[in-house]
Amino acid sequence: MKKIIYTLFLISSLTLVAQDNINYDGIFMGSYIPEQMEYIPSPAKRMLGNKLTQIITNKGISDNNYNSRFIITPNITVLTKNVTPTAPPKVVLNLEVTLYIGDGIEGTMFTNETLEVKGVGTNENKAYIAAIRQIKPKSPVVQAFVKKGKKRIIEYYNDNCNLVIKKVDALNGQNKFDDALAILAGVPEVSSCFNKIKAKMLTTYNKSIEYDCKTKLAEAQGIWDANQDINAANEAAALLASVEPGAPCFSKVKSLYSKIAARVKDLSDRNWNYKLKVLDVEKSRIKAARDVGVAYGKNQKQTTYNVRGWY
């Protein structure tokens, strides 16, 4: 009976994913401004970062500035710089802005596009800002550039799907389930690889939440066994409250939580503020798995990108 229920739940989950992503490609891309562009004033650099984000999101791509494998990065060359003989004088900048999309981990550049923009301002900073403002994320040229980059990203996963699965299997074998989910979360739904990794994503997620459940349950039990006072109750409860309710050992979490809650009531004659997580039936398992992978990736140390030879 449990197997039948699980199968129905799985089918329902996959259907929900398909419905939720009709207009969503599931491609992640980060914007990366190299440190060597220090000659650009900080306000102008921030505007450039915002422009890159707009370019990414305008084409149905999820912006992920934390450890995204694929990046969009700019290079700016000052073609001309003049100061007008007016009162007050103004700075006139003609910039060549080249945008690149590629694999920032392997250092493979996929595509590039060069734009020429002009800015005029009462100082160099304002001239830079005025010039960068001329970059139009929705222009046909920029849209075609991003479309080409998306195509190459999808091709990467189509061509390297077995390699992705091999890496995930190796990480799962080391109980590094969150690392595995971070890799799986990067596979776009529109790639043929996604169909191959759906089952892998579900099994990895189930192993991840079970491993997390057992680890936190053992730690909470140890804390509670050592000293059954309010402080121990709060420390143990903080762990239990973060356990996913879909984990097989969640019934044991509820049991320990109930014992601690009863003891807290005896000790202080008050209800407890800690609450266990509730199963979100509206959220598909695959969506939950991807969320875990994306969140884990965001919390890792910022990736050092390899853009040698791109410009």
Side-chain angles (χ1 to χ4, degrees):
M1 185 63 183
K2 286 184 178 179
K3 187 175 181 180
I4 295 174
I5 293 172
Y6 178 77
T7 303
L8 290 172
F9 179 75
L10 180 60
I11 293 172
S12 172
S13 297
L14 295 177
T15 303
L16 282 172
V17 169
Q19 292 173 344
D20 287 347
N21 294 291
I22 293 173
N23 298 312
Y24 176 57
D25 294 334
I27 296 174
F28 291 96
M29 187 187 296
S31 58
Y32 170 61
I33 299 179
E35 291 183 2
Q36 55 266 39
M37 291 184 72
E38 69 273 5
Y39 63 91
I40 296 179
S42 295
K45 196 179 291 185
R46 284 195 293 274
M47 172 168 279
L48 181 58
N50 291 336
K51 284 289 182 181
L52 296 180
T53 298
Q54 291 173 26
I55 290 171
I56 292 171
T57 55
N58 274 333
K59 203 61 182 172
I61 300 175
S62 295
D63 176 43
N64 180 11
N65 279 326
Y66 299 92
N67 302 305
S68 174
R69 181 179 194 95
F70 303 101
I71 56 172
I72 181 171
T73 184
N75 185 49
I76 292 181
T77 300
V78 179
L79 298 176
T80 61
K81 174 183 173 182
N82 297 300
V83 179
T84 61
T86 57
K90 292 187 176 180
V91 178
V92 181
L93 286 174
N94 282 294
L95 305 180
E96 182 183 79
V97 181
T98 304
L99 303 174
Y100 305 82
I101 290 176
D103 182 340
I105 303 297
E106 293 187 356
T108 305
M109 195 262 288
F110 290 162
T111 184
N112 64 78
E113 185 61 58
T114 299
L115 313 167
E116 287 190 18
V117 290
K118 178 180 180 179
V120 181
T122 52
N123 56 44
E124 186 169 308
N125 177 42
K126 291 183 178 179
Y128 263 108
I129 290 175
I132 292 171
R133 190 174 286 128
Q134 298 308 308
I135 300 173
K136 306 299 182 185
K138 294 183 178 180
S139 73
V141 171
V142 173
Q143 292 282 293
F145 158 69
V146 179
K147 184 178 180 181
K148 189 174 181 181
K150 286 175 62 175
K151 183 172 180 289
R152 292 293 305 276
I153 292 172
I154 294 168
E155 288 173 350
Y156 169 87
Y157 282 106
N158 290 345
D159 296 341
N160 295 280
C161 195
N162 290 337
L163 181 61
V164 170
I165 293 172
K166 189 175 179 180
K167 285 182 179 177
V168 167
D169 286 341
L171 291 168
N172 282 345
Q174 302 169 54
N175 291 335
K176 294 181 177 179
F177 305 114
D178 289 344
D179 290 280
L181 287 172
I183 292 176
L184 291 169
V187 179
E189 283 101 338
V190 292
S191 69
S192 60
C193 185
F194 190 73
N195 290 326
K196 297 178 182 177
I197 60 96
K198 280 180 183 175
K200 184 73 66 180
M201 187 175 285
L202 288 173
T203 55
T204 302
Y205 177 66
N206 288 336
K207 288 179 180 178
S208 169
I209 61 175
E210 176 63 356
Y211 184 79
D212 181 73
C213 181
K214 287 181 176 178
T215 302
K216 289 176 177 174
L217 179 62
E219 190 174 349
Q221 186 71 64
I223 292 169
W224 186 240
D225 289 345
N227 193 4
Q228 298 184 5
D229 59 14
I230 291 295
N231 291 332
N234 288 335
E235 190 176 352
L239 287 167
L240 299 178
S242 65
V243 175
E244 286 297 325
C249 77
F250 194 70
S251 60
K252 295 180 180 178
V253 169
K254 290 196 290 185
S255 177
L256 177 58
Y257 173 85
S258 296
K259 290 178 183 176
I260 297 175
R263 177 63 176 158
V264 168
K265 194 171 179 66
D266 287 342
L267 288 172
S268 61
D269 193 25
R270 64 180 182 184
N271 292 324
W272 212 17
N273 291 327
Y274 283 98
K275 301 291 183 186
L276 297 179
K277 280 189 177 182
V278 177
L279 186 64
D280 184 356
V281 295
E282 299 295 327
K283 193 174 187 179
S284 76
R285 302 283 278 187
I286 287 185
K287 176 70 167 57
R290 297 198 82 179
D291 287 350
V292 171
V294 172
Y296 180 76
K298 287 183 176 179
N299 288 324
Q300 300 310 296
K301 185 179 178 182
Q302 181 65 57
T303 299
T304 300
Y305 289 117
N306 173 17
V307 294
R308 286 194 300 273
W310 291 23
Y311 35 78

